Amino acid sequence: MSRAVSLASSVAWVGFLVTLPLWMDNLYFLHVLIIAGIFIVAAMSLNLLLGYTGQLSLGHVAFFGIGAYASSLCSLGFEIHVLDVPITLAPKPVWFSMLVAVTFAGLCGWFIGKISFKVRGAYFVIVSVSFAEVTRLVALNWLELTQGPMALNNIPFLKFWFPGIGDVDILGKVPNYYLVLGVAIVTYVIIRRLVHSRAGRAMIALRENEPLATSVGIDVTRFLVLATVVSAALAGLAGAVYAHYVRIVDPDVFLFIYTVTMVIMVITGGKGTLAGPIVGGLIFGILPEVLRGFEVKPELQWIVYGVLMILIVYFLPDGIVPAVRDAWKRWTGRTGAPPAEPTGTAVPAEARP
Amino acid sequence: MSATLTPSSAAVAATAAPGPDAAVALAVTGLSIRFGGLTAVEDMTFEVREGEVLSLIGPNGAGKTSAFNAITGYIHASSGSIVYRGAPLVGLKPNQIAEHGVVRTFQKTSVFNGLTVLDNVMVGLHRRAKQHPLAIMLGLPGVRRDEARLRDLAWEILDLVGLRARAEETAVSLSYGELRLLEVAIALAAEPTLLLLDEPVSGMNPAETGAFMALLARIRTRGITVLLVEHDMKMVMGVSDRIVCLNQGRIIADGPPAAIQSDPQVIRAYLGERYVRARG
Ligand SMILES: Nc1ncnc2c1ncn2[C@@H]1O[C@H](COP(=O)(O)OP(=O)(O)O)[C@@H](O)[C@H]1O
Ligand SMILES: [Mg+2]
């Protein structure tokens, strides 16, 4: 029953989002949705770490920035000199560059996971923050490769081949909107599959009770590293999509404030829930534009952010999604037929798989 | 209730008891555990044979939990060897030791609080799952089939421990006795060949203890060897094939229940008034 409801609501949501550009002709609002969608993908990837394994990555934007730079550089090509030896890379197709970016970000995640999960908790926070700062400094100072503060410009856009239609330029708002929507759905599905599997259960078990998890044979490092790799790769994908949408990338993509934004999205929406980062991402992705509409100064904007977050976390400590779900459960529990023994009636239906 | 259950499970224990020629499953030799200046376990040597229920008893602080922790890799032994079915366990991590089929429960109740009872057991089934991360992310049908298989196994284990009716509840909403059963269910899910239980019935009422003894009898009919730490002497005497008594880190007696009951050293060190009281 509740499965059918959730399936129907998912279909309705996707239908709404797919048809949105057909009746929404405000291109600026579409732009806001694209950026919010990219942030939502990044927040979903962060949620895999923060929500499911319980590890706080305060340098998550590093993987986003690495994805953006890697995909841009690969599609633009570059020539650098290492110890006077020139290394050149001819420009590659954008789809290929994006794959390279995802792989490279995933490798960076593997590396960070390997070095920091020997000692976890606070240590991981420090390693991830430092890693983000190092990547920012590299982007800022390795002028030959990244152009530093001059930014990478004229980044090519993605061409997508559709059977029957041929090449489609992913250029401008509407095609990018659909690209982001597609990437967000893929990200959601991947994380959902992971969570409902042996791997996801291992991650959750480590968060809930690590000694017990290891007693039944769960290899802590292996599954934390897996979570970091997938999380980093998906954040890198978000970064690559971003780069080929805005078509200019500078070291500011590594700013700490973007990590903070992702963390806020995950925590307010509900960490460790599939829908949490989407809800949090929509609120904190669209809010800045609403505030800008009211001509709120940037400093004030951060204050509004902070106050809103404190209010949400204070009144709904687990986030919005769990709170709504509990309220829904209470409501259906009250209006439904009053079961004398709730456990006794609920079980037999599930008992025969 | 416990009065009726005790003899029956004792009877099961007697019929299933392996002979003295049964192969050695676990061999602990010269095990010493030190915490700084404190010696928790001193030169401990004992064997557990395939298929038997061996109880480790002794007053609080005797070093029973420390011995469990060393066997299952949670603390490092200062010296000595631990060999299970020919494989040395010293130096392995807890999850690697679980791979050898050696699985333990914890003295302090330990479950996955936020998960449902069924999901708790699903986590325990980790070792039996066959799912490659890539296959999971690609959503291959093999993964779905494996999940269905695991779910069936989980229900089977819940039936075994008698928690089927609570499957959809969150672990935190269980009663104390049910939590202790869930711990055993999680451990059983990990497919142990040697199960270490650390005071599994502490805090249970007599009826729950009786039911637990019946569960223990079912567990041993599955061929699982059991190493038990327990203070409830009625239970220990009822289910054990052999008993090792520990006092201040040293083994002071090792033998069948009848011999332990009448061992003067054991009576002096530990059983004394407690057992006399339990009997009377
Ligand atoms: N992690 C530890 N650090 C220091 N001392 C410990 C630790 N664990 C146990 N001990 C000490 O070792 C001794 C044996 O404890 P324990 O193995 O828990 O005994 P038992 O389980 O038989 O009651 C006790 O004196 C206890 O205080
Ligand atoms: Mg103890």
Side-chain angles (χ1 to χ4, degrees), chain A residues 190 193-194 196-199 201-202 204-205 207-209 211-223 226 230 343-344 346-347 350-353, chain B residues 74 94-95 98-99 103-104 106 110-115 122-124 126-127 129 131 133 136-139 147 150 152 155 164-166 168-169 186 190:
Chain A
I190 287 177
R193 282 174 179 163
L194 268 178
H196 294 295
S197 76
R198 171 187 198 250
R201 279 192 299 271
I204 295 167
R207 177 194 74 195
E208 290 277 315
N209 187 339
L212 181 59
T214 57
S215 81
V216 294
I218 294 173
D219 185 341
V220 184
T221 320
R222 181 153 180 253
F223 286 93
L226 175 67
V230 175
T343 57
V347 169
E350 277 283 316
R352 295 270 149 243
Chain B
Y74 285 83
N95 61 294
E99 293 289 337
V103 181
R104 56 92 56 89
F106 296 82
S110 181
V111 299
F112 302 110
N113 282 319
L115 307 187
M122 290 290 280
V123 172
H126 184 83
R127 244 157 58 71
Q131 301 173 11
I136 292 168
M137 287 187 267
L138 293 172
E147 282 290 291
L150 294 177
D152 289 348
W155 283 111
R164 171 178 279 264
R166 311 290 275 157
E168 304 294 326
E169 302 284 319
I186 295 168

Coordinates of all heavy atoms in Angstrom, one line a residue, chain A residues 190 193-194 196-199 201-202 204-205 207-209 211-223 226 230 343-344 346-347 350-353, chain B residues 74 94-95 98-99 103-104 106 110-115 122-124 126-127 129 131 133 136-139 147 150 152 155 164-166 168-169 186 190:
Chain A
I190 N 21.2 5.3 -8.2 CA 22.4 4.6 -7.7 C 22.5 4.5 -6.2 O 22.7 3.5 -5.6 CB 23.7 5.3 -8.3 CG1 23.8 5.0 -9.8 CG2 24.9 4.9 -7.6 CD1 25.0 5.7 -10.5
R193 N 19.9 2.2 -4.8 CA 20.2 0.8 -4.9 C 21.3 0.4 -3.9 O 21.2 -0.7 -3.3 CB 20.8 0.5 -6.3 CG 19.7 0.4 -7.4 CD 20.3 0.3 -8.7 NE 19.2 0.2 -9.8 CZ 19.4 0.4 -11.0 NH1 20.6 0.8 -11.5 NH2 18.4 0.3 -11.9
L194 N 22.3 1.3 -3.7 CA 23.3 1.0 -2.7 C 22.7 0.8 -1.3 O 23.1 -0.1 -0.6 CB 24.3 2.1 -2.7 CG 25.5 2.0 -3.6 CD1 26.4 3.3 -3.5 CD2 26.4 0.8 -3.3
H196 N 19.8 0.0 -0.3 CA 19.0 -1.2 -0.1 C 19.8 -2.5 -0.5 O 19.3 -3.3 -1.2 CB 17.7 -1.1 -0.9 CG 16.8 -0.1 -0.4 ND1 16.3 -0.1 0.9 CD2 16.4 1.1 -0.9 CE1 15.6 1.0 1.1 NE2 15.6 1.7 0.0
S197 N 21.1 -2.5 -0.2 CA 21.9 -3.7 -0.6 C 22.8 -4.0 0.5 O 22.9 -3.3 1.6 CB 22.7 -3.4 -1.8 OG 23.8 -2.6 -1.5
R198 N 23.6 -5.1 0.3 CA 24.6 -5.5 1.3 C 25.6 -4.3 1.6 O 25.9 -4.1 2.8 CB 25.4 -6.7 0.7 CG 26.6 -7.1 1.4 CD 27.4 -8.1 0.6 NE 28.3 -8.9 1.3 CZ 29.6 -8.7 1.2 NH1 30.1 -7.9 0.4 NH2 30.4 -9.5 1.9
A199 N 25.9 -3.6 0.6 CA 26.9 -2.5 0.8 C 26.3 -1.4 1.6 O 27.0 -0.9 2.6 CB 27.4 -2.0 -0.6
R201 N 23.8 -1.6 3.7 CA 23.5 -2.0 5.1 C 24.8 -2.0 5.8 O 24.8 -1.7 7.0 CB 22.9 -3.4 5.0 CG 21.4 -3.4 4.8 CD 20.8 -4.8 5.1 NE 21.4 -5.8 4.2 CZ 20.9 -6.2 3.0 NH1 19.9 -5.6 2.6 NH2 21.5 -7.1 2.3
A202 N 25.9 -2.4 5.2 CA 27.2 -2.4 5.9 C 27.6 -0.9 6.3 O 28.0 -0.7 7.4 CB 28.3 -2.9 5.0
I204 N 25.5 1.6 6.9 CA 24.6 2.0 8.0 C 24.9 1.3 9.3 O 24.9 1.9 10.3 CB 23.1 1.6 7.6 CG1 22.7 2.5 6.4 CG2 22.1 1.9 8.8 CD1 21.4 2.0 5.7
A205 N 25.3 0.0 9.2 CA 25.7 -0.7 10.4 C 26.9 -0.1 11.0 O 27.0 0.0 12.3 CB 26.0 -2.2 10.0
R207 N 27.7 3.0 11.0 CA 27.3 4.2 11.6 C 26.6 3.9 12.9 O 26.8 4.6 13.9 CB 26.3 5.0 10.6 CG 25.7 6.2 11.2 CD 24.5 6.7 10.3 NE 23.3 5.8 10.6 CZ 22.3 5.8 9.8 NH1 22.2 6.5 8.7 NH2 21.3 5.0 10.0
E208 N 25.7 2.9 12.9 CA 24.9 2.6 14.1 C 25.7 1.9 15.2 O 25.5 2.2 16.4 CB 23.8 1.6 13.7 CG 22.7 2.2 12.8 CD 21.7 2.9 13.6 OE1 21.2 2.4 14.6 OE2 21.3 4.1 13.2
N209 N 26.6 1.0 14.9 CA 27.3 0.2 15.9 C 28.5 -0.5 15.3 O 28.4 -1.6 14.8 CB 26.3 -0.8 16.5 CG 26.8 -1.5 17.7 OD1 28.0 -1.6 17.9 ND2 26.0 -2.0 18.6
P211 N 31.4 -1.8 16.5 CA 31.9 -3.1 17.0 C 31.0 -4.3 16.6 O 31.5 -5.3 16.2 CB 31.9 -2.9 18.6 CG 32.0 -1.5 18.8 CD 31.2 -0.8 17.6
L212 N 29.7 -4.1 16.7 CA 28.8 -5.1 16.3 C 28.9 -5.4 14.8 O 28.9 -6.6 14.4 CB 27.3 -4.7 16.7 CG 26.3 -5.8 16.4 CD1 26.5 -7.1 17.1 CD2 24.9 -5.2 16.7
A213 N 29.0 -4.4 14.0 CA 29.2 -4.6 12.6 C 30.4 -5.4 12.3 O 30.3 -6.4 11.5 CB 29.2 -3.2 11.9
T214 N 31.5 -5.1 12.9 CA 32.7 -5.9 12.6 C 32.6 -7.4 13.1 O 33.1 -8.3 12.5 CB 34.0 -5.3 13.2 OG1 33.8 -5.2 14.6 CG2 34.2 -3.9 12.7
S215 N 31.8 -7.5 14.2 CA 31.6 -8.9 14.8 C 30.9 -9.8 13.8 O 31.1 -11.0 13.9 CB 30.9 -8.8 16.1 OG 29.5 -8.8 15.9
V216 N 30.1 -9.3 12.9 CA 29.5 -10.2 11.9 C 30.2 -10.2 10.5 O 29.7 -10.6 9.5 CB 28.0 -9.8 11.7 CG1 27.2 -10.1 12.9 CG2 27.8 -8.4 11.2
G217 N 31.4 -9.7 10.6 CA 32.3 -9.8 9.4 C 32.3 -8.6 8.4 O 32.9 -8.7 7.3
I218 N 31.8 -7.5 8.9 CA 31.9 -6.3 8.0 C 33.2 -5.6 8.1 O 33.7 -5.3 9.2 CB 30.7 -5.3 8.3 CG1 29.4 -6.0 8.0 CG2 30.9 -4.0 7.5 CD1 28.2 -5.2 8.5
D219 N 33.9 -5.4 6.9 CA 35.2 -4.8 6.8 C 35.0 -3.3 6.8 O 34.6 -2.7 5.8 CB 35.9 -5.3 5.6 CG 37.3 -4.8 5.4 OD1 37.6 -3.8 6.1 OD2 38.1 -5.4 4.7
V220 N 35.3 -2.7 7.9 CA 35.1 -1.2 8.0 C 35.7 -0.4 6.9 O 35.0 0.3 6.2 CB 35.6 -0.7 9.4 CG1 35.3 0.8 9.6 CG2 35.2 -1.5 10.5
T221 N 37.0 -0.6 6.7 CA 37.7 0.3 5.8 C 37.1 0.1 4.4 O 36.9 1.0 3.6 CB 39.2 -0.1 5.8 OG1 39.6 -0.3 7.1 CG2 40.0 1.0 5.2
R222 N 36.9 -1.2 4.0 CA 36.4 -1.5 2.7 C 35.1 -0.7 2.3 O 35.0 -0.1 1.3 CB 36.2 -3.0 2.6 CG 35.7 -3.4 1.2 CD 36.1 -4.8 0.9 NE 35.6 -5.1 -0.5 CZ 34.5 -5.8 -0.7 NH1 33.9 -6.4 0.2 NH2 34.1 -5.9 -2.0
F223 N 34.2 -0.7 3.3 CA 32.9 -0.1 2.9 C 32.9 1.4 3.1 O 32.2 2.1 2.4 CB 31.8 -0.8 3.7 CG 31.5 -2.1 3.1 CD1 32.1 -3.2 3.6 CD2 30.7 -2.2 2.0 CE1 31.9 -4.5 3.0 CE2 30.4 -3.5 1.4 CZ 31.0 -4.6 1.9
L226 N 34.5 2.5 -0.1 CA 33.5 2.4 -1.2 C 32.6 3.6 -1.2 O 32.3 4.2 -2.3 CB 32.7 1.1 -1.1 CG 31.6 0.9 -2.1 CD1 32.1 0.7 -3.5 CD2 30.7 -0.3 -1.7
V230 N 32.3 6.3 -4.4 CA 31.0 6.6 -5.1 C 30.6 8.0 -4.8 O 30.2 8.8 -5.8 CB 29.9 5.6 -4.6 CG1 28.6 6.0 -5.2 CG2 30.3 4.2 -4.9
T343 N 1.4 -4.8 15.8 CA 2.5 -5.7 15.3 C 1.9 -6.9 14.7 O 2.3 -7.4 13.7 CB 3.5 -6.1 16.4 OG1 2.7 -6.7 17.4 CG2 4.2 -4.9 17.0
G344 N 0.9 -7.5 15.4 CA 0.3 -8.7 14.9 C -0.4 -8.6 13.6 O -0.4 -9.5 12.8
A346 N 0.4 -6.2 11.3 CA 1.3 -5.7 10.2 C 2.2 -6.9 9.7 O 2.6 -6.9 8.5 CB 2.2 -4.6 10.8
V347 N 2.5 -7.8 10.5 CA 3.5 -8.8 10.1 C 3.1 -9.8 9.0 O 3.8 -10.0 8.1 CB 4.1 -9.5 11.4 CG1 5.0 -10.7 11.0 CG2 4.9 -8.5 12.2
E350 N 3.8 -9.2 5.4 CA 5.2 -9.2 4.9 C 5.9 -10.6 5.1 O 6.9 -10.9 4.6 CB 6.0 -8.2 5.8 CG 5.9 -6.8 5.3 CD 6.8 -6.5 4.1 OE1 7.9 -7.0 4.1 OE2 6.3 -5.9 3.1
A351 N 5.2 -11.4 6.0 CA 5.9 -12.6 6.4 C 6.1 -13.6 5.2 O 7.0 -14.3 5.2 CB 5.0 -13.3 7.5
R352 N 5.2 -13.6 4.3 CA 5.4 -14.5 3.1 C 5.9 -13.7 1.9 O 5.1 -13.0 1.2 CB 4.0 -15.1 2.8 CG 3.5 -16.0 3.9 CD 4.0 -17.5 3.7 NE 4.2 -18.1 5.0 CZ 5.3 -18.5 5.4 NH1 6.4 -18.4 4.7 NH2 5.4 -19.1 6.6
P353 N 7.1 -13.7 1.7 CA 7.7 -12.9 0.6 C 7.4 -13.5 -0.7 O 7.1 -14.7 -0.8 CB 9.2 -12.9 0.9 CG 9.4 -13.8 2.1 CD 8.2 -14.5 2.4
Chain B
Y74 N 39.1 -8.1 19.5 CA 38.8 -6.8 19.9 C 39.9 -6.2 20.8 O 40.0 -5.0 20.9 CB 37.5 -6.7 20.6 CG 36.3 -6.8 19.7 CD1 35.9 -8.1 19.2 CD2 35.7 -5.7 19.2 CE1 34.9 -8.1 18.3 CE2 34.7 -5.8 18.2 CZ 34.3 -7.0 17.8 OH 33.3 -7.1 16.8
P94 N 38.6 -8.3 14.0 CA 37.3 -8.9 14.3 C 36.6 -9.5 13.0 O 36.1 -10.6 13.0 CB 36.5 -7.9 15.0 CG 37.5 -7.0 15.6 CD 38.7 -7.0 14.7
N95 N 36.5 -8.6 12.0 CA 35.8 -9.1 10.8 C 36.5 -10.3 10.1 O 35.8 -11.1 9.5 CB 35.6 -7.9 9.8 CG 36.9 -7.3 9.3 OD1 37.6 -6.8 10.0 ND2 37.1 -7.5 8.0
A98 N 35.5 -13.3 12.1 CA 34.2 -13.7 11.8 C 34.2 -14.5 10.5 O 33.4 -15.5 10.4 CB 33.3 -12.5 11.6
E99 N 35.1 -14.2 9.6 CA 35.2 -15.0 8.3 C 35.6 -16.4 8.6 O 35.2 -17.3 7.8 CB 36.2 -14.4 7.4 CG 35.9 -13.0 6.8 CD 34.8 -13.1 5.8 OE1 34.6 -14.1 5.2 OE2 34.1 -12.0 5.6
V103 N 32.0 -16.1 15.9 CA 31.1 -14.9 16.1 C 30.7 -14.8 17.5 O 30.4 -15.8 18.2 CB 29.9 -15.0 15.2 CG1 29.0 -13.8 15.3 CG2 30.3 -15.2 13.7
R104 N 30.7 -13.5 18.0 CA 30.4 -13.4 19.4 C 29.2 -12.4 19.7 O 28.9 -11.6 18.8 CB 31.7 -12.8 20.2 CG 32.2 -11.5 19.6 CD 31.7 -10.2 20.2 NE 31.9 -10.2 21.6 CZ 33.0 -9.7 22.2 NH1 34.0 -9.2 21.5 NH2 33.1 -9.7 23.5
F106 N 27.8 -9.5 22.8 CA 28.5 -8.6 23.7 C 27.8 -8.7 25.1 O 26.6 -8.8 25.2 CB 28.5 -7.2 23.2 CG 29.3 -7.1 22.0 CD1 28.8 -7.4 20.7 CD2 30.6 -6.6 22.0 CE1 29.6 -7.3 19.6 CE2 31.4 -6.5 20.9 CZ 30.9 -6.8 19.6
S110 N 23.9 -5.1 22.6 CA 24.4 -4.4 21.5 C 23.7 -4.8 20.2 O 23.8 -5.9 19.7 CB 25.9 -4.7 21.4 OG 26.5 -4.1 20.3
V111 N 22.8 -3.9 19.7 CA 22.1 -4.2 18.5 C 22.2 -2.9 17.6 O 22.8 -1.9 18.0 CB 20.6 -4.5 18.7 CG1 20.4 -5.8 19.5 CG2 19.9 -3.3 19.4
F112 N 21.6 -2.9 16.4 CA 21.6 -1.7 15.6 C 20.3 -1.0 15.9 O 19.2 -1.3 15.4 CB 21.7 -2.1 14.1 CG 22.9 -2.8 13.8 CD1 22.8 -4.2 13.4 CD2 24.1 -2.2 13.8 CE1 24.0 -4.9 13.1 CE2 25.3 -2.9 13.5 CZ 25.2 -4.2 13.2
N113 N 20.3 0.0 16.9 CA 19.2 0.5 17.5 C 18.1 1.1 16.5 O 17.0 1.0 16.7 CB 19.6 1.6 18.5 CG 20.1 1.0 19.8 OD1 19.5 0.1 20.3 ND2 21.1 1.6 20.3
G114 N 18.7 1.8 15.5 CA 17.7 2.6 14.6 C 17.1 1.7 13.5 O 16.2 2.2 12.8
L115 N 17.5 0.5 13.4 CA 17.0 -0.4 12.3 C 15.9 -1.3 12.9 O 15.8 -1.6 14.0 CB 18.1 -1.3 11.8 CG 19.4 -0.6 11.3 CD1 20.3 -1.6 10.6 CD2 19.1 0.6 10.4
M122 N 19.3 -8.7 8.7 CA 19.8 -8.6 7.3 C 21.3 -8.1 7.4 O 22.1 -8.6 6.6 CB 19.0 -7.6 6.5 CG 17.6 -8.1 6.2 SD 17.6 -9.4 4.9 CE 17.8 -8.4 3.4
V123 N 21.6 -7.2 8.3 CA 23.0 -6.8 8.4 C 23.9 -8.0 8.9 O 24.9 -8.2 8.3 CB 23.1 -5.7 9.5 CG1 24.6 -5.4 9.8 CG2 22.4 -4.4 9.0
G124 N 23.3 -8.8 9.8 CA 24.1 -10.0 10.2 C 24.4 -10.9 9.1 O 25.3 -11.7 9.2
H126 N 25.5 -10.3 6.3 CA 26.5 -9.8 5.4 C 27.4 -10.8 4.8 O 27.6 -10.8 3.6 CB 27.4 -8.8 6.3 CG 28.4 -8.1 5.5 ND1 28.1 -6.9 4.8 CD2 29.7 -8.3 5.3 CE1 29.2 -6.5 4.2 NE2 30.2 -7.4 4.5
R127 N 27.9 -11.7 5.6 CA 28.8 -12.7 5.1 C 28.2 -13.7 4.0 O 28.9 -14.3 3.2 CB 29.3 -13.6 6.3 CG 30.7 -13.5 6.6 CD 31.0 -13.9 8.0 NE 30.6 -15.2 8.4 CZ 31.2 -16.4 8.0 NH1 32.2 -16.3 7.1 NH2 30.8 -17.5 8.4
A129 N 25.9 -12.8 1.9 CA 25.4 -12.0 0.7 C 26.4 -12.1 -0.5 O 27.6 -12.1 -0.2 CB 25.1 -10.6 1.0
Q131 N 26.9 -10.0 -3.5 CA 26.6 -8.8 -4.3 C 27.8 -7.9 -4.5 O 28.4 -7.3 -3.6 CB 25.5 -7.9 -3.5 CG 24.3 -8.7 -3.2 CD 23.3 -7.9 -2.3 OE1 23.5 -6.7 -2.0 NE2 22.3 -8.6 -1.8
P133 N 29.7 -4.6 -5.7 CA 29.2 -3.2 -5.7 C 28.7 -2.7 -7.1 O 27.7 -2.0 -7.2 CB 30.4 -2.4 -5.2 CG 31.2 -3.3 -4.4 CD 30.9 -4.7 -4.9
I136 N 25.4 -4.0 -7.9 CA 24.4 -3.3 -7.1 C 24.0 -2.0 -7.8 O 22.8 -1.7 -8.0 CB 24.9 -3.0 -5.7 CG1 25.1 -4.3 -4.8 CG2 24.0 -2.0 -4.9 CD1 25.9 -4.1 -3.6
M137 N 25.0 -1.2 -8.2 CA 24.7 0.1 -8.7 C 24.1 0.0 -10.1 O 23.3 0.8 -10.5 CB 26.0 0.9 -8.8 CG 26.4 1.4 -7.4 SD 27.8 2.5 -7.5 CE 29.2 1.4 -7.3
L138 N 24.4 -1.1 -10.8 CA 23.8 -1.3 -12.1 C 22.4 -1.9 -12.0 O 21.7 -2.1 -13.0 CB 24.7 -2.2 -13.0 CG 26.0 -1.6 -13.4 CD1 26.9 -2.6 -14.1 CD2 25.7 -0.4 -14.4
G139 N 22.0 -2.3 -10.8 CA 20.7 -2.9 -10.6 C 20.5 -4.3 -11.3 O 19.5 -4.6 -11.8
E147 N 18.9 -10.6 -2.7 CA 18.2 -9.9 -1.6 C 17.0 -10.7 -1.1 O 16.7 -10.8 0.0 CB 17.7 -8.5 -2.1 CG 18.8 -7.4 -2.1 CD 19.2 -7.0 -0.7 OE1 18.4 -6.4 0.0 OE2 20.4 -7.4 -0.3
L150 N 18.2 -13.6 0.9 CA 18.7 -13.1 2.3 C 17.4 -12.9 3.1 O 17.4 -13.2 4.3 CB 19.5 -11.8 2.2 CG 20.8 -11.9 1.5 CD1 21.5 -10.6 1.4 CD2 21.7 -12.9 2.2
D152 N 14.6 -14.3 3.0 CA 14.1 -15.6 3.4 C 14.9 -16.2 4.6 O 14.4 -16.7 5.6 CB 14.1 -16.6 2.3 CG 13.0 -16.3 1.2 OD1 12.1 -15.5 1.5 OD2 13.1 -16.9 0.1
W155 N 14.0 -14.3 7.8 CA 12.8 -14.8 8.4 C 13.0 -16.1 9.1 O 12.4 -16.3 10.2 CB 11.7 -14.9 7.3 CG 11.1 -13.6 6.9 CD1 11.2 -13.0 5.7 CD2 10.3 -12.7 7.7 NE1 10.5 -11.8 5.7 CE2 9.9 -11.6 7.0 CE3 9.8 -12.8 9.1 CZ2 9.1 -10.6 7.4 CZ3 9.0 -11.8 9.5 CH2 8.7 -10.7 8.7
R164 N 9.6 -13.4 15.0 CA 8.9 -13.1 13.8 C 7.9 -12.0 14.0 O 7.8 -11.1 13.2 CB 8.3 -14.4 13.3 CG 7.3 -14.1 12.1 CD 6.7 -15.4 11.5 NE 7.6 -16.1 10.6 CZ 7.6 -16.0 9.3 NH1 6.7 -15.2 8.7 NH2 8.4 -16.6 8.5
A165 N 7.2 -12.1 15.1 CA 6.1 -11.2 15.3 C 6.6 -9.7 15.5 O 5.8 -8.8 15.3 CB 5.2 -11.6 16.5
R166 N 7.9 -9.6 15.8 CA 8.4 -8.2 16.0 C 9.2 -7.7 14.8 O 9.9 -6.7 15.0 CB 9.3 -8.3 17.3 CG 8.7 -9.0 18.5 CD 7.6 -8.1 19.0 NE 8.1 -7.2 20.0 CZ 7.5 -6.0 20.3 NH1 6.3 -5.7 19.7 NH2 8.0 -5.2 21.2
E168 N 9.0 -6.1 12.1 CA 8.9 -4.7 11.6 C 9.1 -3.6 12.6 O 9.1 -2.5 12.3 CB 7.5 -4.5 10.9 CG 7.2 -5.5 9.8 CD 8.1 -5.4 8.6 OE1 8.5 -4.3 8.3 OE2 8.4 -6.5 8.0
E169 N 9.3 -4.0 13.9 CA 9.5 -3.0 14.9 C 10.9 -2.5 14.8 O 11.9 -3.2 14.4 CB 9.3 -3.7 16.3 CG 8.0 -4.3 16.5 CD 6.9 -3.2 16.8 OE1 7.2 -2.3 17.5 OE2 5.8 -3.4 16.2
I186 N 21.3 -11.9 15.3 CA 22.3 -11.2 14.5 C 23.6 -12.1 14.4 O 24.1 -12.3 13.3 CB 22.7 -9.8 15.1 CG1 21.5 -8.9 15.0 CG2 23.8 -9.2 14.3 CD1 21.7 -7.6 15.8
A190 N 25.3 -14.5 10.9 CA 26.7 -14.5 10.4 C 27.3 -15.9 10.2 O 28.4 -16.0 10.0 CB 27.6 -13.6 11.3

